[in-house]
Every structure is written in C-alpha cells, then in structure tokens.
Amino acid sequence: MNLFKASIFVGIFLSISASSWSQTSTLDKAISLKITNERLEEVLKIIGERGGFNFSYNPKEFDINRRITLTASGKAVRQVLDEIFKGGAAYKERRGHIILQKVEIETEKPKDIIINGYVFDRETGERIAQASIFEKQTLISAVSNKSGYYRLKLPASLPKPQLEVRKERYFGYSTAVTAPSLDISLLQMPLDSRLQPLSPQVKAATLPPSDTLKVKVPVAASASPMLVSVDTVFSPSKPKRQIIEDVEQTFVDAFASAKQAIHIKNVKDTLYRPFQVSFLPFIGTNHVMSGNVINATSFNIIAGYSLGVTALEVGGFANAVRGNVHGAQIAGFANAVGNSVYGLQVSGFANAVLRNFEGLQISGFANATGGHHSGLQIAGFTNLTGRTFTNGLQIAGFANAVLGTTKGVQISGFTNLVLGNLYGSQISGFANIATKKVRGVQISPFFNYAHLHQQGVQLSLFNYADSSGGVPIGLFSFVKRNGYRRLEISTDELNYANLTFKTGVNAFYNILTIGGNFGIANKPLYTFGYGIGSAIRLGRGWMTNIDLTANKIMEEVNRFDSVNGQFYRIALGLEKKLTPQLALFAAASLTGLTAQPGYLKVDLSRLYQPFPVASLQNGLEFTNWLGFQAGIRICNR
C-alpha cells in the first residue's frame, strides 16, 4: 500500500512539474521543421502542433496568406517566430497559448538593435542559466534565464559590437555581433578538487588598442582552439582564505542587486572606466556591471557600487566598493570598502574597510578597519582596527579599539583598548587597557591596565600590571609578579603598633597605614594615613627606602574633616632580608604636626625638635620632631 501511495505521489509530482515547465517555457521549446512556400496561417498551425500549444492572434493584423519558406533544426520557438515576423510581432505566453500582437516596424533608421539567443553547454547541449552576457564598450549586459535565453538592446550606432560571455566553471567566450539572433556555446572546465578558479583572462588579440578591458592570455591545455577568450586559470586551493571569502561574499550580497551578484560571480575580468555617474548602485553609466568596474572618478547622486576607485569618489548618501580605493572617498552618510583604502575616507556617519587602510579616516560616528591601519582614525564616537595600528593617531569621542599591535597614540573620551602590544600612548577620559606588552604611556583619571608594562609610565587613580618595568603613578598601583609589595608591622614614637601596606614598584609605590595605642592614656586613640615612597636595592638583601606620608590623628572628640591633629612624616629607612619573604627594618623620621597647643599629650621634650614651633591661623601650631620606626616586613620577593 505504501509503495502504491508513493507511486501515485511521484506521478502527481511529475505531472505538475511537466505542466509547470510547459506553462513557463513554451517560447523556449526546441522544434525542428522544414517548410516550403506555405501560407502563414498553416505555418503557425504546424509550429503549434510541433510544440504542443496554440496560437491566438487577430487575423486582421497579419497577412495570413503570406508565403513562408524556412528550415529550423532544434531551434527555440521564439527564434523561429523571430525569423518569420522579422520584428513585426510581439509574443506573450498564456496557459498553453502564445498570443501574437502586431508591432509596427519603424521605417526610419532604428536607434537600438535587439540581440538575443541562447547559451548552451558545448558538450551536452543543455541550456545554461544565469550566464553573464555583456557588450564591453557600453557595459550593457544581460543574464540568461532558466532556459538559457538572453536579450540585449544595443545602440544601432555602436561600431563593431562584441559580446563577452562568462559563466562560473566555464571557459569564457568572446564573439563579434554578426546577426540579431546569436546562440553561444560554452566549454566547461575540467573538474579538479585541488584547483580553484582565479582571475578571468581574454586573449589580447581580441582587443582593439583603445579598449579598456585589461586581460592576459592563460595557459590551458584543455582549452579549445576555437575559443576566443578564457576567463579562468588555476592555482592550488587555499582553504585558509575561506573565512575572508565568506566575509567578502556577505559584502557583495549586502550591496549588490541580484543581477549584479550573478555578474560578480561569473565575470572575473577587470574593467576600467575613467569616469562614471550613478543614481543608485545599479542605475548609472556602468549599468548592472558596476560591480565589475574600476573607476578613476566616480560620482554617486544617492549611492554607488563598484569594483574599485583610483582617484576620487563622491556619494550623496553612500559609496560601496568591492575592491580597493586609491585617492579620496567622500560620502554624506557612509563608505564601505571590501578590500583596502590608500588615501582619504570621509563620511557623515561611518566608514568600514574590510582589509587595510593607509591614510586618513574621518567619520561623524564610527570608523572600522578590518586589517592593518597606518595613519589617522578620527570619529565622533568610536574607532576600531582589526589588526595592527601603526604610525598614527586614533581620536574618538567615546572609545578606540585595536585588536592587534599599536604603534601610535590613542585618545578617547572614555576608554582605549589594545588587544596586542602597545608601543606609544593611551590617553582617555576613564580607562586604558592593553592586554600584552606596553612600552609607553597610559594616562586616565580612573584606571590603567597593562599585562606587561615593560617601560614608560602609568598615570591614573588605579593602575594594574601583571609585570612591570615601568613606573605606575596613582592613588593605588598593583603589579602582580615583579612589583614591590610589603606588609609591615612596626612601632614608632607616636604609636605602639602600626600596620602598613606598600604596593607598586621599587621606583614608586603607594603606602596605606593605620596605627594605634590600644587606649593608653596620653597617646592618640588611633591614626591613619596615605603616602608614597621609593626603594633602592643595595644588594645582598639590603634595601633603603624613603617614604612620605600624610596622617590624621583620631580622638573620641576629633572630627574627620578637622585640620586639628594632622601630621606629615618623611622617613629614611634600611631593610635587611632574613628570608626571601621576611625582613627587618629601621628608619629615622621627621614629623610635622598641625594641632592646637597642648593637643598632643606626648612629652616632646625628650625628642629633638630641629625647627622652632610656629603659630598658624585658627589658633593652631606647627610642631616638629625627629623620631624613629622599626619593625618587620612580609615581602613578595
């Protein structure tokens, strides 16, 4: 039963397919006949019988008694009708009928000529759909339909028109136009999984001296000597390019019309024009072949699409180029380039280049270069470079990002990001990040990050580096591997106990300290402070430090924001390591105190005061003395 149902289904499917084919390809049916001196009415009946359809027409519009003699072998119905009516009739298909309508033949010299025909596979005889046919002087083009039929309207004044025919995986063909009906056969390339098609080529012998079609002669042993042009040579396959090719195909699909996309796929010839004007990408002097043409100068009223530009391109709204731009590209809204730019690119909103850029890129909102960028990127919001950025400057209102090595300067309103090495400077309104080596300067108000800060300066509130040979300067800096870190427990003339943390690098580190006296009378309740310092290695486990701190004495009645009870200390110390992680230290210090007279209960008479007591405003005094520090340190290295 299942087999019976499947047979019925297949039968219905084939019937529907056959019916659909007959409805959509009546004029493309191939027929053979030989007629000698027959009336037009009888000839149409014979053609209808051979093709399995009927004609509908008004006998008053045609001379049905006109005698016809013709021979056709495997010709399409439309070609036979063309030969009979010589342009005096138009044909339409309707439900198994061909409707004939009379067309007045112009008596004056026609402005245009119609060239039509079919494209065949030379070996199999099958008709080839979606083949590209174009006239190389005017760039007027057509794409063969699913029955292999094409139709071109060329200027009658065109001298020596010549058609170029291209189809993917077929050798190209070039032929002079010798008749209005012109069938073309193409030779398929040999299939080899190790080979891939590259640039199309046409024999130089087919080109007049003034032609702008730039081609070369290939070496192909399998090419027929009858071929006039060859559009493909071979080279070893490159699978690693697949991702790039996918991106480029996406670019083509985004900007090209359906017919343009077919031409781009089929036609690998590089066509050159000194000048072009377009209204839209497929409406202009280069017609739908625009995606295959390199223009010296291009003006696009709304938007344009081309293979390349060698001097200047201006677009009212947008410019899209598949290949390279040499010179200047200016658009009111956006520029998009599928390969590289060498020169200037300016837009009101955005610029996008899939590969490399050398020169100046300016946009109102964003710039993006997929490959290497050498020069300047200036954007109102953001700049992005996919690989290296060299010899230049990135300026953005919000952010700059480089996914590879940067040799230059990044300036942004919020953040800069480098995912490779940085040889230069980063200046931002919030944060800078470099994920590999940094040789240069990072400046931001809040945060800097560098994986390996080999040399230079980090200047921010907070700095971080996995490893550093430079100098981080800020409120708090941390270097993970080779930084300077000490956790210090000490005593001094003011506090019985102090806990201090030092972090940064030897040349410059931050100090956070808190001390107290455990409620002992005539001593501060506790103190806390912040400072900076520098250390010098002396060798054999010895090191000297110089520290500068600002501290606040806190009593039960003392307010935090009060200037009463502030002291400043500079200390010069000496450290000796006992083990790689443990050291002893001692330091001499000079302390200056701002406080009310009698505020500090400590007896300072036993301490040497190098400077006399000075009276300050608000009834405060400035007192100073020499003191000491001593304790142990837990070291990171």
Side-chain angles (χ1 to χ4, degrees):
M1 179 61 71
N2 290 337
L3 181 60
F4 177 72
K5 289 182 178 179
S7 301
I8 293 175
F9 174 78
V10 171
I12 293 174
F13 175 78
L14 293 175
S15 298
I16 293 174
S17 299
S19 174
S20 174
W21 176 260
S22 66
Q23 290 172 1
T24 58
S25 59
T26 302
L27 285 171
D28 296 314
K29 283 187 176 181
I31 61 172
S32 298
L33 71 164
K34 184 175 183 180
I35 295 175
T36 304
N37 199 30
E38 289 284 352
R39 293 170 61 247
L40 174 59
E41 184 177 24
E42 294 300 322
V43 173
L44 293 178
K45 288 181 180 179
I46 295 172
I47 294 173
E49 291 172 357
R50 298 290 174 87
F53 58 86
N54 296 313
F55 283 101
S56 295
Y57 59 91
N58 185 351
K60 294 180 180 180
E61 293 183 350
F62 300 95
D63 182 5
I64 60 175
N65 294 315
R66 179 165 63 94
R67 297 290 175 169
I68 305 295
T69 298
L70 65 85
T71 301
S73 177
K75 284 190 175 182
V77 170
R78 78 167 76 241
Q79 292 177 304
V80 175
L81 295 178
D82 286 344
E83 190 171 339
I84 293 173
F85 291 103
K86 308 294 184 184
Y91 332 124
K92 292 183 179 179
E93 300 180 36
R94 291 289 188 275
R95 298 179 181 178
H97 289 72
I98 293 180
I99 302 171
L100 303 179
Q101 295 177 326
K102 186 174 180 60
V103 175
E104 295 296 333
I105 301 176
E106 297 180 2
T107 56
E108 61 182 31
K109 189 174 182 180
K111 296 181 181 179
D112 299 314
I113 59 173
I114 304 298
I115 309 298
N116 62 15
Y118 289 83
V119 182
F120 293 90
D121 185 299
R122 182 174 301 179
E123 294 180 346
T124 66
E126 294 180 358
R127 295 173 182 176
I128 300 175
Q130 295 191 342
S132 296
I133 305 96
F134 66 97
E135 200 287 314
K136 61 184 182 179
Q137 298 178 60
T138 62
L139 295 183
I140 294 173
S141 63
V143 174
S144 60
N145 66 15
K146 64 181 180 181
S147 300
Y149 178 75
Y150 73 93
R151 185 177 184 272
L152 283 172
K153 182 187 289 187
L154 300 177
S157 60
L158 185 65
K160 298 181 180 179
Q162 185 164 314
L163 296 187
E164 302 291 334
V165 187
R166 302 289 184 268
K167 174 62 180 175
E168 189 181 26
R169 299 190 181 280
Y170 282 84
F171 290 106
Y173 190 82
S174 178
T175 181
V177 176
T178 57
S181 181
L182 187 61
D183 290 345
I184 299 167
S185 62
L186 300 180
L187 182 63
Q188 192 170 10
M189 296 177 184
L191 297 178
D192 190 332
S193 60
R194 296 170 301 172
L195 304 178
Q196 66 174 5
L198 286 181
S199 300
Q201 310 293 335
V202 179
K203 289 187 178 179
T206 66
L207 303 175
S210 61
D211 202 330
T212 58
L213 186 64
K214 307 298 181 183
V215 292
K216 297 180 181 179
V217 178
V219 178
S222 60
S224 168
M226 296 178 64
L227 288 174
V228 183
S229 67
V230 179
D231 78 339
T232 305
V233 292
F234 299 107
S235 75
S237 179
K238 298 179 180 179
K240 65 182 181 180
R241 289 181 49 86
Q242 189 61 48
I243 295 177
I244 296 176
E245 291 172 355
D246 290 344
V247 173
E248 291 174 344
Q249 185 59 47
T250 301
F251 182 86
V252 169
D253 294 341
F255 293 99
S257 66
K259 187 176 288 188
Q260 280 178 318
I262 293 172
H263 285 327
I264 291 168
K265 189 175 182 180
N266 291 335
V267 182
K268 303 305 178 183
D269 307 73
T270 301
L271 308 175
Y272 294 88
R273 290 294 183 269
F275 178 82
Q276 81 90 29
V277 176
S278 72
F279 185 73
L280 289 169
F282 47 88
I283 302 176
T285 55
N286 290 337
H287 309 289
V288 292
M289 292 294 293
S290 60
N292 297 87
V293 180
I294 294 177
N295 305 293
T297 305
S298 176
F299 292 96
N300 307 307
I301 297 172
I302 294 180
Y305 185 61
S306 65
L307 176 58
V309 175
T310 60
L312 172 66
E313 182 172 49
V314 178
F317 183 75
N319 300 309
V321 175
R322 289 177 53 217
N324 297 322
V325 172
H326 295 261
Q329 189 181 46
I330 303 170
F333 183 75
N335 292 305
V337 177
N339 208 321
S340 300
V341 174
Y342 306 92
L344 172 67
Q345 196 177 48
V346 181
S347 73
F349 183 75
N351 295 309
V353 178
L354 291 187
R355 293 201 177 177
N356 304 325
F357 194 106
E358 292 183 10
L360 173 60
Q361 195 177 39
I362 304 175
S363 74
F365 183 76
N367 294 309
T369 298
H372 306 285
H373 192 110
S374 176
L376 275 69
Q377 273 189 318
I378 302 174
F381 185 74
T382 186
N383 292 306
L384 171 65
T385 295
R387 300 188 72 181
T388 62
F389 185 90
T390 58
N391 306 318
L393 172 66
Q394 276 188 322
I395 302 176
F398 181 76
N400 294 306
V402 178
L403 306 187
T405 295
T406 298
K407 296 180 180 179
V409 179
Q410 289 183 313
I411 301 175
S412 72
F414 185 75
T415 186
N416 295 308
L417 172 66
V418 173
L419 296 186
N421 299 325
L422 171 63
Y423 304 101
S425 302
Q426 288 181 315
I427 303 172
S428 74
F430 181 75
N432 297 305
I433 298 172
T435 63
K436 292 187 179 179
K437 295 179 183 177
V438 174
R439 293 182 183 177
V441 177
Q442 289 181 310
I443 301 174
S444 73
F446 185 73
F447 179 68
N448 291 317
Y449 171 86
H451 175 70
L452 173 57
H453 190 203
Q454 288 188 329
Q455 63 183 42
V457 175
Q458 287 181 307
L459 180 60
S460 182
L461 278 176
F462 303 99
N463 299 296
Y464 177 89
D466 283 352
S467 180
S468 181
V471 179
I473 300 174
L475 180 68
F476 185 86
S477 299
F478 188 86
V479 179
K480 182 178 180 181
R481 282 186 285 180
N482 66 334
Y484 177 87
R485 284 193 299 281
R486 297 290 188 271
L487 182 61
E488 184 178 292
I489 302 173
S490 67
T491 187
D492 59 39
E493 77 283 354
L494 199 60
N495 292 316
Y496 278 120
N498 299 292
L499 182 64
T500 302
F501 180 65
K502 299 177 179 180
T503 177
V505 295
N506 289 355
F508 187 92
Y509 52 80
N510 308 115
I511 303 171
L512 299 172
T513 183
I514 185 170
N517 289 284
F518 312 105
I520 297 176
N522 298 325
K523 286 282 189 176
L525 182 63
Y526 67 92
T527 66
F528 65 89
Y530 173 83
I532 58 176
S534 182
I536 300 174
R537 291 184 181 276
L538 303 176
R540 297 183 180 273
W542 291 91
M543 177 179 286
T544 184
N545 300 77
I546 182 167
D547 296 343
L548 178 63
T549 60
N551 304 268
K552 175 69 174 173
I553 297 174
M554 296 301 294
E555 301 287 357
E556 293 180 354
V557 296
N558 198 7
R559 290 167 50 198
F560 176 79
D561 60 349
S562 172
V563 296
N564 190 31
Q566 292 182 351
F567 69 93
Y568 308 90
R569 174 177 287 165
I570 182 170
L572 179 63
L574 190 64
E575 171 188 294
K576 177 63 171 82
K577 279 193 173 183
L578 303 179
T579 70
Q581 283 79 38
L582 188 64
L584 296 177
F585 85 96
S589 64
L590 172 63
T591 302
L593 171 68
T594 300
Q596 295 174 347
Y599 169 79
L600 194 64
K601 305 303 181 182
V602 177
D603 184 6
L604 298 177
S605 61
R606 295 177 299 173
L607 300 175
Y608 175 71
Q609 301 183 51
F611 305 104
V613 176
S615 297
L616 304 175
Q617 294 180 352
N618 301 323
L620 300 179
E621 290 182 343
F622 180 76
T623 306
N624 62 89
W625 67 86
L626 294 180
F628 73 94
Q629 290 177 314
I632 60 173
R633 289 173 177 168
I634 300 174
C635 313
N636 65 315
R637 59 185 180 88

